[in-house]
Amino acid sequence: MKIPVCSPKIGEKEVEYVSKCIRSGWISSMGECVTEFEEKFARYCGCKYGVTTSSGTTALHLALAALGIKEGNEVIIPTFTMIATANAVTYTRARPVLVDADPSTWNIDTSKIEGKITKRTKAMMPVHTYGHPVDMDMILELAEKHGLYVVEDAAEAHGAEYKGKKTGGLGDVGCFSFYANKIITTGEGGMVTTNNEEIAERAQWLRAHAFGRHGKHFYHEELGFGYRMSALQAAFGLAQFESIDEFVSIRRNNAKLYNTLLEELGDKIILPPEKPWAKNVYWMYSILIEDRYGLGRDELMKKLDADGIETRTFFYPIHVQPIYASQYNKEKFPIADKLSRKGMNLPSGNNLTAEEVSYVCERICKYAK
Ligand SMILES: *Cc1c(COP(=O)(O)O)cnc(C)c1O
């Protein structure tokens, strides 16, 4: 028995809603659960429109495609992120332009963005990493000044808030993942959220093959996708959505307990950020292991593994990924490199109990030199 790093919390409601969907016979994306899930989740994010997708990755790709991002364009993203952020840009044949991380939030360093804007830049894609929102004011200012779109990668930040406003509704488009380890899940799935009717309509149209609109159904004027979510997934999502506030509280309470119990380690480890203007939802409760801790990050992970505690390393930044590295070898991203070397995610799921948090902290304190 291991304490999992992030497991979904599934109850009878999920069974009930999915069963009801099956009995209705409407199991494709035509089922009414899909629209209901889209409306409810979009409203939660402060958005008028939600467009469900088959995953977070396809939500990102669909959002960029709906905005008309294409070959020859550039999209600014953080290098310290999960691979899907960069891949979504690559799928459009645009180029991901990388920016280093801010050491105080681990998100994109907003002060380093403007130097990367060129004539080809069309959009910025900030990522609310591990559930901590990006400092959006600077991003929105740059967007206004340079005429750029803002696409939030909110795949890790359902319910997180920037200055009291939910992520996903802060830019032109928000993108969420409902993968099994995310804050709410549909197994696999995603959603594009927006207040812009035109973007929402284009996303809906491109999501399902861009069928002909003028009486010629099987006639295609643009390259569409098969990115729909099924009603079975949406039914599951509706059940999860009813618990979203509870899930966010569980994560925040566990984070608070981690913070308290790890405090005695002082500066041997760095605790996760939460700026005064931020509500972090701690998709992952993440720490940095400093040299002063006396044991390397990887050694600590091994010891915890033997104790039945599952952990994860931080992401490898995009600029070191074998599929991207050669494009960026003239640039330096020291903060992302440091995060990647020192960072680890502790158990953070919706099922995690206070006893388990205490056990994890007791072990981490014990191994400190
Ligand atoms: C999980 C995640 C995605 C991709 O979501 P999938 O549903 O797995 O495709 C994209 N971006 C970030 C930052 C993520 O954490």
Side-chain angles (χ1 to χ4, degrees), residues 241-309:
F241 180 73
E242 288 183 13
S243 300
I244 192 165
D245 291 332
E246 182 202 330
F247 291 165
V248 168
S249 309
I250 290 170
R251 282 170 188 270
R252 285 181 57 79
N253 288 337
N254 280 333
K256 217 162 151 191
L257 186 58
Y258 268 125
N259 283 343
T260 309
L261 297 176
L262 292 174
E263 206 180 357
E264 68 178 80
L265 289 172
D267 62 1
K268 291 179 181 165
I269 64 169
I270 306 287
L271 302 180
E274 184 170 47
K275 291 283 191 183
W277 40 260
K279 179 177 178 181
N280 189 345
V281 287
Y282 301 95
W283 170 56
M284 289 289 169
Y285 184 88
S286 309
I287 58 175
L288 306 182
I289 308 300
E290 295 289 353
D291 296 339
R292 294 179 285 265
Y293 179 77
L295 200 64
R297 190 259 326 254
D298 295 344
E299 290 166 277
L300 174 60
M301 286 179 67
K302 263 197 214 113
K303 283 197 180 287
L304 294 175
D305 185 65
D307 289 334
I309 299 164

Side-chain angles (χ1 to χ4, degrees), residues 36-241:
E36 193 184 339
F37 183 47
E38 289 172 337
E39 282 170 8
K40 285 188 168 158
F41 188 76
R43 201 178 313 132
Y44 174 82
C45 300
C47 286
K48 282 201 204 126
Y49 310 99
V51 181
T52 45
T53 56
S54 51
S55 73
T57 309
T58 56
L60 291 166
H61 182 202
L62 185 65
L64 294 173
L67 295 174
I69 306 295
K70 57 179 195 297
E71 188 158 13
N73 296 162
E74 292 175 354
V75 178
I76 293 176
I77 65 167
T79 188
F80 182 65
T81 185
M82 193 239 172
I83 196 74
T85 317
N87 286 353
V89 178
T90 304
Y91 299 157
T92 69
R93 302 177 191 228
R95 186 176 121 85
V97 170
L98 306 181
V99 172
D100 202 1
D102 176 337
S104 74
T105 61
W106 307 347
N107 286 324
I108 191 165
D109 186 338
T110 54
S111 73
K112 291 188 184 144
I113 293 177
E114 195 159 28
K116 301 254 172 160
I117 295 174
T118 72
K119 288 197 303 286
R120 293 176 294 279
T121 313
K122 281 284 179 295
M124 291 175 281
M125 208 150 73
V127 182
H128 307 298
T129 309
Y130 299 141
H132 190 288
V134 173
D135 189 354
M136 291 298 289
D137 281 349
M138 182 71 164
I139 302 239
L140 296 171
E141 228 169 83
L142 288 171
E144 178 86 29
K145 185 171 163 195
H146 297 276
L148 307 177
Y149 291 117
V150 177
V151 179
E152 292 172 74
D153 183 342
E156 306 179 356
H158 318 57
E161 290 175 17
Y162 174 69
K163 298 187 175 170
K165 285 178 76 181
K166 292 256 183 353
T167 56
L170 302 167
D172 297 291
V173 192
C175 299
F176 288 89
S177 165
F178 302 116
Y179 182 64
N181 70 3
K182 301 295 161 104
I183 294 188
I184 64 166
T185 178
T186 58
E188 302 279 352
M191 197 184 299
V192 169
T193 53
T194 183
N195 277 304
N196 183 313
E197 187 179 4
E198 204 179 315
I199 296 172
E201 277 179 2
R202 265 187 66 77
Q204 257 162 15
W205 180 59
L206 293 172
R207 167 180 65 178
H209 312 299
F211 282 117
R213 293 198 272 208
H214 308 292
K216 288 156 81 175
H217 186 63
F218 291 110
Y219 190 73
H220 304 274
E221 296 176 60
E222 256 191 75
L223 186 65
F225 312 104
Y227 283 175
R228 289 166 293 202
M229 172 185 278
S230 84
L232 295 172
Q233 292 167 300
F236 197 101
L238 279 168
Q240 288 270 302
F241 180 73

